[in-house]
Amino acid sequence: MAKPWATYGVDLHLERSGPGLRRGLTDALRDAIRTGRLAPGTRLPSSRSLAADLGVARNTVADAYADLVAEGRLTARQGSGTHVADRAVPRPPARRAPARPPGRLPHDLVPGTPDLASFPRTAWLRATRRALAAAPHDAFGYGDPRGRPELREALADYLARARGVRADPENIVVCAGFADGLRLLTGVLRARGAHTLAVESYGLDAHWDLVERAGTRTVPLPSDAHGPLVAGSDAGAVLLNPSHQFPLGGALPPARRAEVVDWARRTGGLVLEDDYDGEFRYDRQPVGALQDLDPGHVVYLGTASKSLAPGLRLGWTVLPPSLVPKVTAHGGAGSVGVVDQLVLADFLTSGAYDRHVRAARLRYRRRRDALVEALATRAPDVRVTGIAAGLHAVLRLPPGTEPSVVRAATWQGLRVLGLGRFRHPAATDTPVDGLVVGYATPPDHAWAGALEALCKALP
Protein backbone atom coordinates (compact mmCIF):
# COMPACT_ATOMS: atom_id res chain seq x y z
CA MET A 1 0.00 0.00 0.00
CA ALA A 2 1.46 3.35 -1.05
CA LYS A 3 2.23 5.79 1.72
CA PRO A 4 0.44 9.14 1.44
CA TRP A 5 3.65 11.12 1.14
CA ALA A 6 4.75 8.85 -1.72
CA THR A 7 1.62 9.81 -3.64
CA TYR A 8 1.15 13.49 -2.90
CA GLY A 9 4.70 14.74 -2.46
CA VAL A 10 6.52 15.91 0.63
CA ASP A 11 7.84 19.05 2.26
CA LEU A 12 11.58 19.20 1.73
CA HIS A 13 14.28 20.64 3.94
CA LEU A 14 17.25 21.35 1.68
CA GLU A 15 20.54 23.00 2.59
CA ARG A 16 21.81 24.46 -0.68
CA SER A 17 25.58 24.55 -1.09
CA GLY A 18 28.08 25.06 -3.86
CA PRO A 19 28.33 27.79 -6.49
CA GLY A 20 25.13 28.87 -8.18
CA LEU A 21 21.50 28.09 -7.41
CA ARG A 22 21.24 25.15 -9.81
CA ARG A 23 24.44 23.50 -8.57
CA GLY A 24 23.52 24.09 -4.93
CA LEU A 25 20.01 22.66 -5.35
CA THR A 26 21.27 19.64 -7.31
CA ASP A 27 23.90 18.86 -4.67
CA ALA A 28 21.33 19.19 -1.85
CA LEU A 29 18.89 16.82 -3.55
CA ARG A 30 21.66 14.35 -4.41
CA ASP A 31 22.82 14.32 -0.79
CA ALA A 32 19.29 13.76 0.51
CA ILE A 33 18.85 10.78 -1.85
CA ARG A 34 22.31 9.33 -1.15
CA THR A 35 21.87 9.41 2.65
CA GLY A 36 18.37 7.97 2.51
CA ARG A 37 16.58 11.07 3.78
CA LEU A 38 14.57 10.84 0.55
CA ALA A 39 13.54 7.19 0.35
CA PRO A 40 13.07 5.30 -2.93
CA GLY A 41 9.63 5.95 -4.38
CA THR A 42 9.18 9.32 -2.69
CA ARG A 43 7.29 11.72 -4.95
CA LEU A 44 8.97 15.12 -5.11
CA PRO A 45 7.06 18.39 -5.31
CA SER A 46 6.39 19.76 -8.76
CA SER A 47 9.05 22.10 -10.09
CA ARG A 48 6.58 24.99 -9.77
CA SER A 49 5.76 24.12 -6.13
CA LEU A 50 9.38 23.63 -5.03
CA ALA A 51 10.47 26.79 -6.81
CA ALA A 52 7.83 28.76 -4.92
CA ASP A 53 8.92 27.17 -1.60
CA LEU A 54 12.60 27.96 -2.22
CA GLY A 55 12.10 31.34 -3.80
CA VAL A 56 13.95 30.44 -7.01
CA ALA A 57 13.03 30.30 -10.68
CA ARG A 58 11.05 27.29 -11.85
CA ASN A 59 13.66 26.55 -14.53
CA THR A 60 16.32 26.20 -11.80
CA VAL A 61 14.35 23.39 -10.17
CA ALA A 62 13.48 21.78 -13.51
CA ASP A 63 17.17 21.78 -14.50
CA ALA A 64 18.21 20.24 -11.14
CA TYR A 65 15.59 17.54 -11.54
CA ALA A 66 16.80 16.85 -15.11
CA ASP A 67 20.40 16.47 -13.93
CA LEU A 68 19.38 13.90 -11.32
CA VAL A 69 17.16 12.03 -13.79
CA ALA A 70 20.19 11.77 -16.06
CA GLU A 71 22.21 10.33 -13.16
CA GLY A 72 19.49 7.76 -12.51
CA ARG A 73 18.68 9.14 -9.05
CA LEU A 74 15.22 10.40 -10.07
CA THR A 75 12.58 9.15 -12.48
CA ALA A 76 10.17 11.38 -14.34
CA ARG A 77 7.20 10.33 -16.44
CA GLN A 78 4.57 12.51 -18.02
CA GLY A 79 1.50 12.64 -15.82
CA SER A 80 3.02 10.79 -12.87
CA GLY A 81 5.44 13.38 -11.51
CA THR A 82 9.04 13.07 -10.35
CA HIS A 83 10.06 10.30 -7.94
CA VAL A 84 13.21 9.12 -6.23
CA ALA A 85 14.45 6.16 -8.25
CA ASP A 86 13.67 2.72 -6.88
CA ARG A 87 17.27 1.67 -6.42
CA ALA A 88 19.43 0.62 -3.52
CA VAL A 89 20.74 3.55 -1.50
CA PRO A 90 22.66 3.52 1.78
CA ARG A 91 20.23 3.64 4.65
CA PRO A 92 20.81 5.40 7.93
CA PRO A 93 22.05 2.98 10.59
CA ALA A 94 19.12 1.08 12.02
CA ARG A 95 18.17 2.13 15.50
CA ARG A 96 18.86 -0.69 17.87
CA ALA A 97 16.25 -1.54 20.45
CA PRO A 98 17.31 -0.04 23.76
CA ALA A 99 19.08 -2.48 25.97
CA ARG A 100 17.37 -3.53 29.18
CA PRO A 101 18.39 -0.99 31.81
CA PRO A 102 21.02 -2.28 34.23
CA GLY A 103 19.41 -3.93 37.20
CA ARG A 104 16.05 -4.45 35.48
CA LEU A 105 14.42 -7.48 37.07
CA PRO A 106 11.64 -9.68 35.68
CA HIS A 107 9.30 -9.17 38.68
CA ASP A 108 8.27 -5.77 40.02
CA LEU A 109 6.46 -5.02 43.29
CA VAL A 110 7.66 -1.45 43.70
CA PRO A 111 4.70 0.65 44.87
CA GLY A 112 3.46 3.77 43.15
CA THR A 113 1.53 2.63 40.10
CA PRO A 114 -1.69 0.72 39.43
CA ASP A 115 -1.86 -2.17 37.00
CA LEU A 116 -1.23 -0.19 33.82
CA ALA A 117 -2.38 -3.07 31.63
CA SER A 118 -5.87 -2.60 33.07
CA PHE A 119 -6.21 0.99 31.88
CA PRO A 120 -9.74 1.23 30.38
CA ARG A 121 -8.66 2.03 26.83
CA THR A 122 -11.99 1.29 25.16
CA ALA A 123 -14.04 3.30 27.64
CA TRP A 124 -11.49 6.14 27.52
CA LEU A 125 -11.67 6.18 23.72
CA ARG A 126 -15.47 6.40 23.84
CA ALA A 127 -15.22 9.26 26.34
CA THR A 128 -12.70 11.01 24.09
CA ARG A 129 -15.05 10.86 21.12
CA ARG A 130 -17.98 12.14 23.15
CA ALA A 131 -15.91 14.91 24.75
CA LEU A 132 -14.51 16.15 21.44
CA ALA A 133 -17.91 16.06 19.77
CA ALA A 134 -19.51 18.07 22.56
CA ALA A 135 -16.66 20.53 23.22
CA PRO A 136 -17.41 24.18 22.42
CA HIS A 137 -14.94 25.95 20.17
CA ASP A 138 -13.70 28.17 22.99
CA ALA A 139 -12.58 25.08 24.93
CA PHE A 140 -9.43 25.06 22.81
CA GLY A 141 -8.41 28.57 23.81
CA TYR A 142 -6.35 29.55 26.85
CA GLY A 143 -9.31 29.32 29.20
CA ASP A 144 -9.73 29.57 32.96
CA PRO A 145 -6.51 29.03 34.96
CA ARG A 146 -8.51 26.86 37.35
CA GLY A 147 -9.26 24.38 34.55
CA ARG A 148 -12.22 23.56 32.35
CA PRO A 149 -15.57 24.18 34.07
CA GLU A 150 -16.88 20.81 32.85
CA LEU A 151 -14.16 19.01 34.79
CA ARG A 152 -14.41 21.16 37.90
CA GLU A 153 -18.17 20.58 38.06
CA ALA A 154 -17.77 16.84 37.52
CA LEU A 155 -15.08 16.68 40.20
CA ALA A 156 -17.19 18.63 42.69
CA ASP A 157 -20.06 16.17 42.26
CA TYR A 158 -17.85 13.09 42.40
CA LEU A 159 -15.73 14.18 45.38
CA ALA A 160 -18.79 15.14 47.41
CA ARG A 161 -20.46 11.80 46.66
CA ALA A 162 -17.49 9.43 46.92
CA ARG A 163 -15.03 11.13 49.27
CA GLY A 164 -17.20 13.43 51.41
CA VAL A 165 -15.36 16.54 50.21
CA ARG A 166 -17.11 19.89 50.45
CA ALA A 167 -16.21 21.07 46.98
CA ASP A 168 -17.45 24.10 45.08
CA PRO A 169 -16.38 24.09 41.41
CA GLU A 170 -15.23 27.68 41.88
CA ASN A 171 -12.66 26.50 44.45
CA ILE A 172 -11.19 23.60 42.47
CA VAL A 173 -7.96 24.05 40.55
CA VAL A 174 -6.92 21.33 38.11
CA CYS A 175 -3.24 20.38 38.12
CA ALA A 176 -0.89 17.87 36.48
CA GLY A 177 -0.84 15.35 39.31
CA PHE A 178 0.00 15.59 43.01
CA ALA A 179 3.55 16.87 42.57
CA ASP A 180 2.30 19.72 40.38
CA GLY A 181 -0.35 20.61 42.95
CA LEU A 182 2.29 20.59 45.68
CA ARG A 183 4.50 22.81 43.53
CA LEU A 184 1.68 25.32 43.16
CA LEU A 185 1.08 25.31 46.91
CA THR A 186 4.71 25.84 47.90
CA GLY A 187 4.54 29.30 46.36
CA VAL A 188 1.40 30.01 48.37
CA LEU A 189 3.08 28.79 51.57
CA ARG A 190 6.00 31.13 51.07
CA ALA A 191 3.63 34.03 50.44
CA ARG A 192 1.88 33.20 53.73
CA GLY A 193 5.20 33.27 55.56
CA ALA A 194 5.22 29.49 56.07
CA HIS A 195 8.87 28.54 55.61
CA THR A 196 8.51 25.08 57.17
CA LEU A 197 6.29 22.18 56.09
CA ALA A 198 5.78 19.40 58.63
CA VAL A 199 5.64 15.94 57.06
CA GLU A 200 5.19 12.41 58.29
CA SER A 201 8.34 10.54 59.23
CA TYR A 202 7.77 8.06 56.38
CA GLY A 203 6.80 9.30 52.92
CA LEU A 204 8.15 10.12 49.48
CA ASP A 205 11.49 11.87 49.22
CA ALA A 206 10.47 13.23 45.80
CA HIS A 207 7.85 15.35 47.53
CA TRP A 208 10.24 16.50 50.25
CA ASP A 209 12.85 17.39 47.63
CA LEU A 210 10.32 19.35 45.59
CA VAL A 211 9.31 21.41 48.62
CA GLU A 212 12.89 22.06 49.70
CA ARG A 213 14.02 23.08 46.21
CA ALA A 214 11.28 25.71 46.36
CA GLY A 215 12.84 27.13 49.52
CA THR A 216 10.60 25.56 52.17
CA ARG A 217 12.13 23.32 54.81
CA THR A 218 10.54 19.96 55.66
CA VAL A 219 10.56 18.65 59.24
CA PRO A 220 9.30 15.19 60.24
CA LEU A 221 6.54 14.97 62.81
CA PRO A 222 6.87 12.72 65.87
CA SER A 223 4.37 9.88 65.95
CA ASP A 224 2.91 7.20 68.17
CA ALA A 225 0.79 4.11 67.60
CA HIS A 226 -2.11 6.29 66.38
CA GLY A 227 -0.16 8.27 63.80
CA PRO A 228 1.59 11.64 63.56
CA LEU A 229 1.42 14.14 66.42
CA VAL A 230 0.60 17.54 64.95
CA ALA A 231 -0.60 19.43 68.03
CA GLY A 232 2.84 20.67 69.11
CA SER A 233 4.17 21.59 65.67
CA ASP A 234 5.31 25.15 65.00
CA ALA A 235 5.37 24.62 61.21
CA GLY A 236 3.28 26.85 58.96
CA ALA A 237 1.68 23.87 57.21
CA VAL A 238 1.50 20.09 57.46
CA LEU A 239 1.30 17.42 54.75
CA LEU A 240 -0.65 14.27 55.67
CA ASN A 241 -2.13 11.06 54.20
CA PRO A 242 -5.05 10.75 56.65
CA SER A 243 -7.13 8.13 54.81
CA HIS A 244 -4.33 5.70 53.97
CA GLN A 245 -0.80 6.69 54.91
CA PHE A 246 1.98 6.01 52.46
CA PRO A 247 3.91 3.88 53.07
CA LEU A 248 2.97 2.69 56.58
CA GLY A 249 -0.62 1.98 55.57
CA GLY A 250 -2.53 3.31 58.59
CA ALA A 251 -5.55 5.57 58.74
CA LEU A 252 -5.68 8.60 61.02
CA PRO A 253 -8.23 7.84 63.78
CA PRO A 254 -11.08 10.29 64.51
CA ALA A 255 -9.53 11.79 67.64
CA ARG A 256 -6.25 12.48 65.85
CA ARG A 257 -8.12 14.01 62.91
CA ALA A 258 -9.83 16.39 65.30
CA GLU A 259 -6.42 17.33 66.76
CA VAL A 260 -5.13 18.19 63.30
CA VAL A 261 -8.06 20.50 62.60
CA ASP A 262 -7.77 22.09 66.07
CA TRP A 263 -4.07 22.77 65.39
CA ALA A 264 -4.89 24.47 62.08
CA ARG A 265 -7.56 26.69 63.64
CA ARG A 266 -5.42 27.61 66.62
CA THR A 267 -2.25 28.43 64.68
CA GLY A 268 -3.71 29.56 61.35
CA GLY A 269 -1.69 26.79 59.71
CA LEU A 270 -2.66 24.97 56.56
CA VAL A 271 -3.26 21.23 56.24
CA LEU A 272 -2.40 19.64 52.89
CA GLU A 273 -4.39 16.41 52.57
CA ASP A 274 -2.95 13.92 50.10
CA ASP A 275 -5.79 11.52 49.21
CA TYR A 276 -3.80 9.58 46.64
CA ASP A 277 -5.64 6.23 46.83
CA GLY A 278 -8.58 6.96 49.12
CA GLU A 279 -11.09 5.16 46.88
CA PHE A 280 -9.51 1.77 47.55
CA ARG A 281 -10.70 0.42 50.90
CA TYR A 282 -11.42 -3.30 51.03
CA ASP A 283 -12.75 -4.13 54.48
CA ARG A 284 -15.31 -1.33 54.83
CA GLN A 285 -16.56 1.90 53.29
CA PRO A 286 -13.64 4.24 52.50
CA VAL A 287 -12.88 6.80 55.20
CA GLY A 288 -14.11 10.25 54.20
CA ALA A 289 -11.78 13.13 53.52
CA LEU A 290 -10.32 15.20 56.38
CA GLN A 291 -11.24 18.31 54.40
CA ASP A 292 -14.89 17.89 55.35
CA LEU A 293 -14.05 18.82 58.96
CA ASP A 294 -12.75 22.27 58.03
CA PRO A 295 -12.68 23.36 54.36
CA GLY A 296 -11.24 26.71 55.43
CA HIS A 297 -7.98 25.23 56.72
CA VAL A 298 -7.58 21.99 54.73
CA VAL A 299 -6.44 21.79 51.10
CA TYR A 300 -7.57 18.55 49.49
CA LEU A 301 -5.31 17.07 46.78
CA GLY A 302 -6.36 14.12 44.63
CA THR A 303 -5.25 12.57 41.37
CA ALA A 304 -6.16 9.99 38.75
CA SER A 305 -2.66 8.51 39.05
CA LYS A 306 -3.65 5.53 41.19
CA SER A 307 -7.23 5.07 40.00
CA LEU A 308 -6.42 5.32 36.26
CA ALA A 309 -2.77 5.91 35.35
CA PRO A 310 0.01 8.32 36.37
CA GLY A 311 0.83 9.01 32.72
CA LEU A 312 -2.40 10.99 32.35
CA ARG A 313 -0.92 13.71 34.61
CA LEU A 314 -4.34 14.66 35.95
CA GLY A 315 -4.91 15.94 39.47
CA TRP A 316 -6.94 18.48 41.39
CA THR A 317 -6.85 20.66 44.45
CA VAL A 318 -9.88 21.75 46.46
CA LEU A 319 -8.93 25.03 48.09
CA PRO A 320 -10.19 27.45 50.71
CA PRO A 321 -11.70 30.31 48.65
CA SER A 322 -9.01 32.78 49.74
CA LEU A 323 -6.26 30.61 48.23
CA VAL A 324 -7.74 30.18 44.74
CA PRO A 325 -6.33 33.40 43.22
CA LYS A 326 -2.97 32.79 44.90
CA VAL A 327 -2.70 29.26 43.47
CA THR A 328 -3.77 30.27 39.96
CA ALA A 329 -1.21 33.08 40.07
CA HIS A 330 1.48 30.38 40.31
CA GLY A 331 0.31 28.57 37.17
CA GLY A 332 -2.99 26.83 37.80
CA ALA A 333 -4.18 24.40 35.17
CA GLY A 334 -1.88 25.72 32.46
CA SER A 335 0.15 22.49 32.40
CA VAL A 336 -2.85 20.22 31.78
CA GLY A 337 -4.13 19.63 28.26
CA VAL A 338 -7.71 20.69 27.64
CA VAL A 339 -8.62 17.47 25.82
CA ASP A 340 -7.59 15.34 28.79
CA GLN A 341 -9.66 17.56 31.08
CA LEU A 342 -12.73 17.21 28.88
CA VAL A 343 -12.30 13.45 28.61
CA LEU A 344 -11.96 13.00 32.37
CA ALA A 345 -15.07 15.14 32.87
CA ASP A 346 -17.03 12.84 30.55
CA PHE A 347 -15.50 9.77 32.21
CA LEU A 348 -16.78 10.98 35.58
CA THR A 349 -20.24 12.11 34.53
CA SER A 350 -20.95 9.04 32.37
CA GLY A 351 -20.30 6.65 35.26
CA ALA A 352 -17.32 5.05 33.50
CA TYR A 353 -14.97 6.19 36.26
CA ASP A 354 -17.09 4.56 38.99
CA ARG A 355 -17.31 1.33 37.02
CA HIS A 356 -13.55 1.25 36.51
CA VAL A 357 -12.81 1.98 40.18
CA ARG A 358 -15.20 -0.76 41.34
CA ALA A 359 -13.58 -3.30 39.01
CA ALA A 360 -10.09 -2.22 40.09
CA ARG A 361 -11.09 -2.38 43.75
CA LEU A 362 -12.19 -5.98 43.34
CA ARG A 363 -9.02 -6.95 41.47
CA TYR A 364 -6.68 -5.33 44.00
CA ARG A 365 -8.59 -6.76 46.95
CA ARG A 366 -8.12 -10.24 45.52
CA ARG A 367 -4.41 -9.62 45.14
CA ARG A 368 -4.08 -8.36 48.71
CA ASP A 369 -6.04 -11.36 49.99
CA ALA A 370 -3.74 -13.68 48.01
CA LEU A 371 -0.71 -11.93 49.51
CA VAL A 372 -2.00 -12.31 53.07
CA GLU A 373 -2.92 -15.95 52.50
CA ALA A 374 0.45 -16.81 50.96
CA LEU A 375 2.37 -15.21 53.82
CA ALA A 376 0.27 -16.98 56.43
CA THR A 377 1.33 -20.38 55.09
CA ARG A 378 4.84 -19.70 53.75
CA ALA A 379 6.26 -16.89 55.92
CA PRO A 380 4.36 -16.92 59.22
CA ASP A 381 6.94 -14.69 60.92
CA VAL A 382 6.17 -11.84 58.51
CA ARG A 383 3.14 -9.68 59.31
CA VAL A 384 1.07 -7.56 56.95
CA THR A 385 0.46 -4.27 58.72
CA GLY A 386 -1.82 -1.33 58.00
CA ILE A 387 -5.44 -1.27 56.99
CA ALA A 388 -6.85 -3.29 54.08
CA ALA A 389 -6.71 -0.48 51.56
CA GLY A 390 -4.78 1.11 48.73
CA LEU A 391 -2.35 -0.40 46.26
CA HIS A 392 0.42 -1.49 48.61
CA ALA A 393 1.02 -3.34 51.86
CA VAL A 394 3.81 -3.17 54.42
CA LEU A 395 5.34 -6.48 55.46
CA ARG A 396 6.84 -6.09 58.93
CA LEU A 397 10.11 -8.02 59.17
CA PRO A 398 12.15 -9.26 62.14
CA PRO A 399 14.51 -6.50 63.38
CA GLY A 400 17.70 -6.13 61.37
CA THR A 401 16.59 -8.29 58.44
CA GLU A 402 15.41 -5.67 55.94
CA PRO A 403 18.68 -5.30 53.95
CA SER A 404 19.19 -9.05 53.63
CA VAL A 405 15.58 -9.62 52.52
CA VAL A 406 15.87 -6.91 49.84
CA ARG A 407 19.05 -8.61 48.59
CA ALA A 408 17.35 -12.00 48.62
CA ALA A 409 14.47 -10.54 46.58
CA THR A 410 16.97 -9.32 43.99
CA TRP A 411 18.42 -12.83 43.76
CA GLN A 412 14.88 -14.07 43.09
CA GLY A 413 14.52 -11.56 40.23
CA LEU A 414 12.17 -9.35 42.23
CA ARG A 415 12.33 -5.59 42.54
CA VAL A 416 10.92 -4.45 45.88
CA LEU A 417 11.77 -1.63 48.26
CA GLY A 418 12.53 -1.68 51.96
CA LEU A 419 10.66 0.54 54.37
CA GLY A 420 13.83 2.42 55.23
CA ARG A 421 13.86 3.81 51.68
CA PHE A 422 10.90 6.02 52.66
CA ARG A 423 12.17 7.31 56.02
CA HIS A 424 12.80 11.05 56.37
CA PRO A 425 16.51 11.64 57.05
CA ALA A 426 15.70 13.80 60.09
CA ALA A 427 13.13 11.42 61.62
CA THR A 428 13.67 10.63 65.29
CA ASP A 429 11.18 7.77 65.69
CA THR A 430 12.58 4.31 66.20
CA PRO A 431 13.02 2.80 62.72
CA VAL A 432 11.31 -0.47 61.85
CA ASP A 433 12.21 -3.13 59.33
CA GLY A 434 9.81 -3.93 56.54
CA LEU A 435 9.07 -4.25 52.84
CA VAL A 436 6.68 -1.98 50.95
CA VAL A 437 4.95 -4.29 48.48
CA GLY A 438 3.10 -2.70 45.55
CA TYR A 439 0.73 -5.56 44.81
CA ALA A 440 -1.13 -3.48 42.21
CA THR A 441 1.96 -2.89 40.08
CA PRO A 442 2.28 -6.11 38.03
CA PRO A 443 -0.19 -6.93 35.25
CA ASP A 444 -2.47 -9.87 35.96
CA HIS A 445 -0.33 -12.38 34.08
CA ALA A 446 2.77 -11.45 36.12
CA TRP A 447 1.19 -11.31 39.58
CA ALA A 448 1.53 -15.00 40.46
CA GLY A 449 5.24 -15.05 39.53
CA ALA A 450 5.95 -11.90 41.52
CA LEU A 451 4.18 -13.31 44.57
CA GLU A 452 6.12 -16.56 44.31
CA ALA A 453 9.42 -14.68 44.09
CA LEU A 454 8.46 -12.62 47.13
CA CYS A 455 7.65 -15.67 49.24
CA LYS A 456 10.99 -17.27 48.36
CA ALA A 457 12.85 -14.14 49.47
CA LEU A 458 11.19 -13.84 52.88
CA PRO A 459 12.74 -15.30 56.04
Side-chain angles (χ1 to χ4, degrees):
M1 177 177 172
K3 297 178 181 177
W5 47 259
T7 302
Y8 299 111
V10 294
D11 288 334
L12 297 183
H13 172 74
L14 298 172
E15 294 286 348
R16 298 196 300 269
S17 61
L21 290 177
R22 174 178 172 178
R23 172 74 177 276
L25 178 57
T26 304
D27 288 347
L29 286 167
R30 184 184 294 114
D31 182 68
I33 296 169
R34 183 175 60 246
T35 60
R37 286 198 299 115
L38 287 177
T42 300
R43 179 174 178 174
L44 300 185
S46 68
S47 58
R48 184 188 304 275
S49 175
L50 185 58
D53 288 345
L54 299 178
V56 300
R58 180 183 179 186
N59 285 344
T60 301
V61 177
D63 291 343
Y65 280 0
D67 290 343
L68 294 172
V69 168
E71 293 177 10
R73 298 182 186 274
L74 297 180
T75 61
R77 291 192 299 273
Q78 187 71 30
S80 63
T82 303
H83 295 74
V84 177
D86 188 12
R87 57 192 293 272
V89 296
R91 295 283 185 153
R95 292 187 182 134
R96 292 187 300 175
R100 174 179 286 184
R104 182 75 175 270
L105 301 174
H107 304 299
D108 190 354
L109 290 177
V110 171
T113 61
D115 175 3
L116 300 179
S118 69
F119 180 79
R121 297 171 187 243
T122 302
W124 191 260
L125 180 59
R126 286 197 294 263
T128 302
R129 289 171 173 155
R130 290 193 301 264
L132 288 175
H137 297 312
D138 65 4
F140 302 99
Y142 289 105
D144 193 316
R146 293 171 297 179
R148 284 299 304 173
E150 297 93 334
L151 178 54
R152 290 187 284 115
E153 290 167 9
L155 284 169
D157 290 343
Y158 173 78
L159 295 173
R161 169 172 55 81
R163 301 297 301 122
V165 175
R166 283 193 266 171
D168 185 323
E170 298 299 306
N171 300 331
I172 294 177
V173 175
V174 178
C175 54
F178 176 81
D180 187 48
L182 186 59
R183 177 189 62 80
L184 294 172
L185 288 164
T186 54
V188 174
L189 295 178
R190 290 197 308 274
R192 288 167 55 96
H195 301 294
T196 302
L197 175 68
V199 298
E200 297 177 80
S201 56
Y202 285 84
L204 283 175
D205 57 356
H207 296 162
W208 304 330
D209 292 345
L210 183 155
V211 171
E212 294 189 348
R213 284 196 303 270
T216 300
R217 190 167 63 101
T218 64
V219 293
L221 291 162
S223 63
D224 60 15
H226 302 293
L229 296 161
V230 178
S233 176
D234 59 0
V238 60
L239 172 62
L240 300 173
N241 298 134
S243 296
H244 183 227
Q245 204 277 336
F246 182 88
L248 295 178
L252 206 59
R256 194 57 57 85
R257 286 176 163 235
E259 289 177 11
V260 172
V261 172
D262 289 344
W263 168 84
R265 291 170 177 168
R266 174 171 48 83
T267 65
L270 202 61
V271 179
L272 310 184
E273 177 181 11
D274 179 6
D275 194 32
Y276 76 105
D277 65 359
E279 292 124 328
F280 296 106
R281 183 74 186 255
Y282 309 125
D283 57 350
R284 67 184 72 176
Q285 190 74 12
V287 176
L290 178 68
Q291 185 263 6
D292 179 52
L293 297 180
D294 192 339
H297 289 92
V298 180
V299 175
Y300 176 90
L301 297 103
T303 79
S305 297
K306 303 300 182 286
S307 56
L308 287 169
L312 293 177
R313 310 311 303 149
L314 285 167
W316 44 88
T317 61
V318 182
L319 301 161
S322 62
L323 295 188
V324 174
K326 296 181 175 65
V327 169
T328 55
H330 285 86
S335 57
V336 185
V338 66
V339 174
D340 290 334
Q341 293 186 55
L342 293 171
V343 176
L344 181 58
D346 182 278
F347 214 66
L348 287 163
T349 56
S350 68
Y353 186 84
D354 285 270
R355 289 191 292 274
H356 172 73
V357 168
R358 285 196 298 272
R361 189 183 293 135
L362 179 60
R363 180 168 58 254
Y364 299 147
R365 177 176 183 168
R366 287 172 175 165
R367 291 193 186 185
R368 189 182 190 279
D369 289 346
L371 172 64
V372 172
E373 181 179 351
L375 295 181
T377 57
R378 300 185 59 177
D381 293 333
V382 176
R383 294 186 297 117
V384 179
T385 61
I387 61 174
L391 310 184
H392 77 281
V394 173
L395 310 189
R396 192 64 61 87
L397 300 172
T401 62
E402 181 182 310
S404 62
V405 172
V406 172
R407 286 195 299 271
T410 302
W411 296 334
Q412 295 295 334
L414 172 65
R415 185 169 176 246
V416 68
L417 299 180
L419 189 56
R421 165 69 177 73
F422 301 96
R423 182 175 170 82
H424 194 286
T428 58
D429 299 343
T430 302
V432 294
D433 286 71
L435 293 183
V436 185
V437 174
Y439 52 76
T441 303
D444 283 339
H445 72 270
W447 163 240
L451 180 57
E452 175 66 19
L454 175 65
C455 290
K456 289 180 178 178
L458 293 173

